[in-house]
Amino acid sequence: MKGITVKKYGSSDVLEYTDLPDPVPEIDQVLIEVHGASVNYADIKARKGEYHLGSPLPFVPGLDAAGVVLDVGNEVTHIRPGDHVIAFTAAGSYAEKAIASQSLTYIVPKTINLRKAAAAVLVAGTATHMLRYLARIKANESLLIHTAAGGVGSTALQIAKNLGVQRIYGSTGSSWKEVHVKKLGAIGVVDYNSETYARDIIKLTDKNGVDVILNPLGGATIERDLHCLAPFGRLIVFGELNNQASNLLPNALYTSNKTIIGSSFGHFRKVRPGLVRETIDKVIQLLADEQIEMIIDKCFPLHQASQAHQQLEDREVLGKVVLVPAALLA
């Protein structure tokens, strides 16, 4: 089969399209014909050797996929060949075929488009986990979503609306993305590159601040977020796209009962796969009921993985980028 390998860490040019051995499922695994593999910032971190869960060389990138089951191991009980599934793959998803544990493979209705399902696996799972289980957001609370035009951000905005949240604000790093975020339902948009965005949020909220913030940026935005976080508010940090250190002062937390919560869906699925299933089941239901629309900026053929990475890294994307084997792209 064809797939992508990383033999050395570096820029997007290190993604090599090559022949790979066909994977064979172990007794508790599922073999999937990949119809779509989403491109995530975690893949970029892995390519650079910076992923917090590790990515020893050589490796096939990709955390998740959607496709059709080709074969199953002897101890797989609830999945059969021909099933449409989404999965967190065991050894990379940037390939024509992928392996996944049955505990991290989820059947989806055949009415759901597999490319959109691929786009949803990680970002919708992450957004649902943060909003429902970490922030425990209520309908009468307010929310700020950083990078709201991206994969997690645009999906989180829709999920929050589905939960009844009305006062949703977004941030972007490019002014041309503001219209897109407002179309999704944000009532105000700020520029996360601006040193004054926290003051802008305070002004937009009549000096109340927001109850929940989702932040994949890290760095100086942590202190700024705490400035516009309401008393008893929850700041969920799920990345460090800015690659900057943060100078957090403890009194910014305890003086007004504010909370910072770290979120890694990758770690969560490794140590709590049973709870992940509950989260992904909710995502599948949202997709089946058309309560969320997965926004796909572009589908790249698998052999153009380097271009897909570069487009995401340059932050030129609205929503998601998905890789599709060339034979299935037509």
PDB file of all heavy atoms in Angstrom, residues 107-128:
ATOM      1  N   ILE A 107     -18.428   2.607  15.150  1.00  0.00           N
ATOM      2  CA  ILE A 107     -19.265   2.465  13.958  1.00  0.00           C
ATOM      3  C   ILE A 107     -20.071   3.742  13.745  1.00  0.00           C
ATOM      4  O   ILE A 107     -20.621   4.310  14.696  1.00  0.00           O
ATOM      5  CB  ILE A 107     -20.210   1.259  14.107  1.00  0.00           C
ATOM      6  CG1 ILE A 107     -19.392  -0.041  14.203  1.00  0.00           C
ATOM      7  CG2 ILE A 107     -21.184   1.176  12.938  1.00  0.00           C
ATOM      8  CD1 ILE A 107     -20.223  -1.268  14.524  1.00  0.00           C
ATOM      9  N   VAL A 108     -20.125   4.200  12.494  1.00  0.00           N
ATOM     10  CA  VAL A 108     -20.931   5.374  12.154  1.00  0.00           C
ATOM     11  C   VAL A 108     -21.992   4.964  11.136  1.00  0.00           C
ATOM     12  O   VAL A 108     -21.771   4.052  10.325  1.00  0.00           O
ATOM     13  CB  VAL A 108     -20.068   6.525  11.584  1.00  0.00           C
ATOM     14  CG1 VAL A 108     -19.058   6.999  12.603  1.00  0.00           C
ATOM     15  CG2 VAL A 108     -19.368   6.114  10.302  1.00  0.00           C
ATOM     16  N   PRO A 109     -23.149   5.607  11.168  1.00  0.00           N
ATOM     17  CA  PRO A 109     -24.181   5.301  10.166  1.00  0.00           C
ATOM     18  C   PRO A 109     -23.652   5.549   8.753  1.00  0.00           C
ATOM     19  O   PRO A 109     -22.870   6.475   8.523  1.00  0.00           O
ATOM     20  CB  PRO A 109     -25.304   6.281  10.517  1.00  0.00           C
ATOM     21  CG  PRO A 109     -25.080   6.644  11.945  1.00  0.00           C
ATOM     22  CD  PRO A 109     -23.597   6.618  12.142  1.00  0.00           C
ATOM     23  N   LYS A 110     -24.094   4.727   7.816  1.00  0.00           N
ATOM     24  CA  LYS A 110     -23.616   4.863   6.442  1.00  0.00           C
ATOM     25  C   LYS A 110     -24.172   6.099   5.748  1.00  0.00           C
ATOM     26  O   LYS A 110     -23.761   6.424   4.629  1.00  0.00           O
ATOM     27  CB  LYS A 110     -23.933   3.589   5.656  1.00  0.00           C
ATOM     28  CG  LYS A 110     -23.129   2.391   6.168  1.00  0.00           C
ATOM     29  CD  LYS A 110     -23.352   1.130   5.351  1.00  0.00           C
ATOM     30  CE  LYS A 110     -22.483  -0.010   5.899  1.00  0.00           C
ATOM     31  NZ  LYS A 110     -22.656  -1.273   5.146  1.00  0.00           N
ATOM     32  N   THR A 111     -25.078   6.796   6.417  1.00  0.00           N
ATOM     33  CA  THR A 111     -25.592   8.057   5.878  1.00  0.00           C
ATOM     34  C   THR A 111     -24.616   9.214   6.093  1.00  0.00           C
ATOM     35  O   THR A 111     -24.767  10.277   5.485  1.00  0.00           O
ATOM     36  CB  THR A 111     -26.928   8.410   6.548  1.00  0.00           C
ATOM     37  OG1 THR A 111     -26.754   8.401   7.975  1.00  0.00           O
ATOM     38  CG2 THR A 111     -28.006   7.410   6.164  1.00  0.00           C
ATOM     39  N   ILE A 112     -23.615   9.025   6.954  1.00  0.00           N
ATOM     40  CA  ILE A 112     -22.648  10.087   7.247  1.00  0.00           C
ATOM     41  C   ILE A 112     -21.501  10.019   6.247  1.00  0.00           C
ATOM     42  O   ILE A 112     -20.882   8.969   6.053  1.00  0.00           O
ATOM     43  CB  ILE A 112     -22.103   9.957   8.685  1.00  0.00           C
ATOM     44  CG1 ILE A 112     -23.227  10.163   9.704  1.00  0.00           C
ATOM     45  CG2 ILE A 112     -20.982  10.966   8.932  1.00  0.00           C
ATOM     46  CD1 ILE A 112     -22.792   9.954  11.150  1.00  0.00           C
ATOM     47  N   ASN A 113     -21.221  11.138   5.603  1.00  0.00           N
ATOM     48  CA  ASN A 113     -20.109  11.228   4.662  1.00  0.00           C
ATOM     49  C   ASN A 113     -18.795  10.923   5.378  1.00  0.00           C
ATOM     50  O   ASN A 113     -18.489  11.509   6.420  1.00  0.00           O
ATOM     51  CB  ASN A 113     -20.077  12.642   4.059  1.00  0.00           C
ATOM     52  CG  ASN A 113     -18.938  12.839   3.092  1.00  0.00           C
ATOM     53  OD1 ASN A 113     -17.792  13.011   3.491  1.00  0.00           O
ATOM     54  ND2 ASN A 113     -19.253  12.832   1.807  1.00  0.00           N
ATOM     55  N   LEU A 114     -18.000  10.008   4.830  1.00  0.00           N
ATOM     56  CA  LEU A 114     -16.799   9.553   5.532  1.00  0.00           C
ATOM     57  C   LEU A 114     -15.717  10.625   5.609  1.00  0.00           C
ATOM     58  O   LEU A 114     -14.925  10.641   6.554  1.00  0.00           O
ATOM     59  CB  LEU A 114     -16.253   8.285   4.875  1.00  0.00           C
ATOM     60  CG  LEU A 114     -17.033   7.003   5.207  1.00  0.00           C
ATOM     61  CD1 LEU A 114     -16.515   5.826   4.394  1.00  0.00           C
ATOM     62  CD2 LEU A 114     -16.947   6.689   6.700  1.00  0.00           C
ATOM     63  N   ARG A 115     -15.659  11.524   4.652  1.00  0.00           N
ATOM     64  CA  ARG A 115     -14.662  12.599   4.755  1.00  0.00           C
ATOM     65  C   ARG A 115     -15.030  13.551   5.886  1.00  0.00           C
ATOM     66  O   ARG A 115     -14.163  14.012   6.634  1.00  0.00           O
ATOM     67  CB  ARG A 115     -14.552  13.350   3.426  1.00  0.00           C
ATOM     68  CG  ARG A 115     -13.964  12.501   2.315  1.00  0.00           C
ATOM     69  CD  ARG A 115     -13.883  13.255   1.001  1.00  0.00           C
ATOM     70  NE  ARG A 115     -13.629  12.330  -0.103  1.00  0.00           N
ATOM     71  CZ  ARG A 115     -13.625  12.672  -1.373  1.00  0.00           C
ATOM     72  NH1 ARG A 115     -13.858  13.932  -1.720  1.00  0.00           N
ATOM     73  NH2 ARG A 115     -13.393  11.768  -2.312  1.00  0.00           N
ATOM     74  N   LYS A 116     -16.322  13.834   6.011  1.00  0.00           N
ATOM     75  CA  LYS A 116     -16.750  14.696   7.117  1.00  0.00           C
ATOM     76  C   LYS A 116     -16.580  13.973   8.452  1.00  0.00           C
ATOM     77  O   LYS A 116     -16.249  14.594   9.468  1.00  0.00           O
ATOM     78  CB  LYS A 116     -18.190  15.142   6.908  1.00  0.00           C
ATOM     79  CG  LYS A 116     -18.333  16.075   5.717  1.00  0.00           C
ATOM     80  CD  LYS A 116     -19.658  16.802   5.688  1.00  0.00           C
ATOM     81  CE  LYS A 116     -19.655  17.838   4.562  1.00  0.00           C
ATOM     82  NZ  LYS A 116     -20.885  18.657   4.535  1.00  0.00           N
ATOM     83  N   ALA A 117     -16.790  12.664   8.442  1.00  0.00           N
ATOM     84  CA  ALA A 117     -16.555  11.889   9.656  1.00  0.00           C
ATOM     85  C   ALA A 117     -15.084  11.940  10.045  1.00  0.00           C
ATOM     86  O   ALA A 117     -14.736  12.083  11.224  1.00  0.00           O
ATOM     87  CB  ALA A 117     -17.001  10.444   9.444  1.00  0.00           C
ATOM     88  N   ALA A 118     -14.203  11.843   9.037  1.00  0.00           N
ATOM     89  CA  ALA A 118     -12.762  11.932   9.307  1.00  0.00           C
ATOM     90  C   ALA A 118     -12.405  13.283   9.903  1.00  0.00           C
ATOM     91  O   ALA A 118     -11.590  13.380  10.827  1.00  0.00           O
ATOM     92  CB  ALA A 118     -11.973  11.699   8.017  1.00  0.00           C
ATOM     93  N   ALA A 119     -13.012  14.332   9.378  1.00  0.00           N
ATOM     94  CA  ALA A 119     -12.742  15.677   9.888  1.00  0.00           C
ATOM     95  C   ALA A 119     -13.194  15.839  11.328  1.00  0.00           C
ATOM     96  O   ALA A 119     -12.649  16.651  12.079  1.00  0.00           O
ATOM     97  CB  ALA A 119     -13.437  16.711   9.002  1.00  0.00           C
ATOM     98  N   ALA A 120     -14.187  15.042  11.736  1.00  0.00           N
ATOM     99  CA  ALA A 120     -14.813  15.233  13.048  1.00  0.00           C
ATOM    100  C   ALA A 120     -14.106  14.520  14.185  1.00  0.00           C
ATOM    101  O   ALA A 120     -14.209  14.948  15.339  1.00  0.00           O
ATOM    102  CB  ALA A 120     -16.267  14.761  12.994  1.00  0.00           C
ATOM    103  N   VAL A 121     -13.404  13.432  13.899  1.00  0.00           N
ATOM    104  CA  VAL A 121     -12.979  12.511  14.962  1.00  0.00           C
ATOM    105  C   VAL A 121     -12.281  13.239  16.107  1.00  0.00           C
ATOM    106  O   VAL A 121     -12.738  13.229  17.251  1.00  0.00           O
ATOM    107  CB  VAL A 121     -12.042  11.410  14.415  1.00  0.00           C
ATOM    108  CG1 VAL A 121     -11.745  10.395  15.518  1.00  0.00           C
ATOM    109  CG2 VAL A 121     -12.650  10.713  13.220  1.00  0.00           C
ATOM    110  N   LEU A 122     -11.157  13.879  15.814  1.00  0.00           N
ATOM    111  CA  LEU A 122     -10.364  14.487  16.879  1.00  0.00           C
ATOM    112  C   LEU A 122     -10.937  15.826  17.321  1.00  0.00           C
ATOM    113  O   LEU A 122     -11.067  16.090  18.522  1.00  0.00           O
ATOM    114  CB  LEU A 122      -8.916  14.663  16.429  1.00  0.00           C
ATOM    115  CG  LEU A 122      -7.966  15.194  17.502  1.00  0.00           C
ATOM    116  CD1 LEU A 122      -7.875  14.227  18.677  1.00  0.00           C
ATOM    117  CD2 LEU A 122      -6.575  15.442  16.928  1.00  0.00           C
ATOM    118  N   VAL A 123     -11.302  16.693  16.358  1.00  0.00           N
ATOM    119  CA  VAL A 123     -11.699  18.050  16.754  1.00  0.00           C
ATOM    120  C   VAL A 123     -13.040  18.073  17.473  1.00  0.00           C
ATOM    121  O   VAL A 123     -13.210  18.776  18.477  1.00  0.00           O
ATOM    122  CB  VAL A 123     -11.697  19.014  15.544  1.00  0.00           C
ATOM    123  CG1 VAL A 123     -10.299  19.161  14.973  1.00  0.00           C
ATOM    124  CG2 VAL A 123     -12.681  18.600  14.471  1.00  0.00           C
ATOM    125  N   ALA A 124     -14.011  17.303  16.982  1.00  0.00           N
ATOM    126  CA  ALA A 124     -15.313  17.285  17.654  1.00  0.00           C
ATOM    127  C   ALA A 124     -15.220  16.551  18.985  1.00  0.00           C
ATOM    128  O   ALA A 124     -15.883  16.921  19.957  1.00  0.00           O
ATOM    129  CB  ALA A 124     -16.367  16.639  16.757  1.00  0.00           C
ATOM    130  N   GLY A 125     -14.378  15.512  19.032  1.00  0.00           N
ATOM    131  CA  GLY A 125     -14.154  14.830  20.306  1.00  0.00           C
ATOM    132  C   GLY A 125     -13.517  15.755  21.321  1.00  0.00           C
ATOM    133  O   GLY A 125     -13.932  15.818  22.485  1.00  0.00           O
ATOM    134  N   THR A 126     -12.504  16.498  20.891  1.00  0.00           N
ATOM    135  CA  THR A 126     -11.831  17.453  21.774  1.00  0.00           C
ATOM    136  C   THR A 126     -12.790  18.526  22.260  1.00  0.00           C
ATOM    137  O   THR A 126     -12.846  18.842  23.457  1.00  0.00           O
ATOM    138  CB  THR A 126     -10.646  18.105  21.033  1.00  0.00           C
ATOM    139  OG1 THR A 126      -9.694  17.093  20.688  1.00  0.00           O
ATOM    140  CG2 THR A 126      -9.970  19.155  21.892  1.00  0.00           C
ATOM    141  N   ALA A 127     -13.561  19.105  21.336  1.00  0.00           N
ATOM    142  CA  ALA A 127     -14.483  20.177  21.698  1.00  0.00           C
ATOM    143  C   ALA A 127     -15.564  19.687  22.657  1.00  0.00           C
ATOM    144  O   ALA A 127     -15.897  20.360  23.642  1.00  0.00           O
ATOM    145  CB  ALA A 127     -15.118  20.761  20.434  1.00  0.00           C
ATOM    146  N   THR A 128     -16.118  18.512  22.383  1.00  0.00           N
ATOM    147  CA  THR A 128     -17.152  17.951  23.260  1.00  0.00           C
ATOM    148  C   THR A 128     -16.596  17.673  24.650  1.00  0.00           C
ATOM    149  O   THR A 128     -17.224  17.991  25.670  1.00  0.00           O
ATOM    150  CB  THR A 128     -17.714  16.651  22.651  1.00  0.00           C
ATOM    151  OG1 THR A 128     -18.311  16.950  21.390  1.00  0.00           O
ATOM    152  CG2 THR A 128     -18.755  16.017  23.561  1.00  0.00           C
TER     153      THR A 128
END
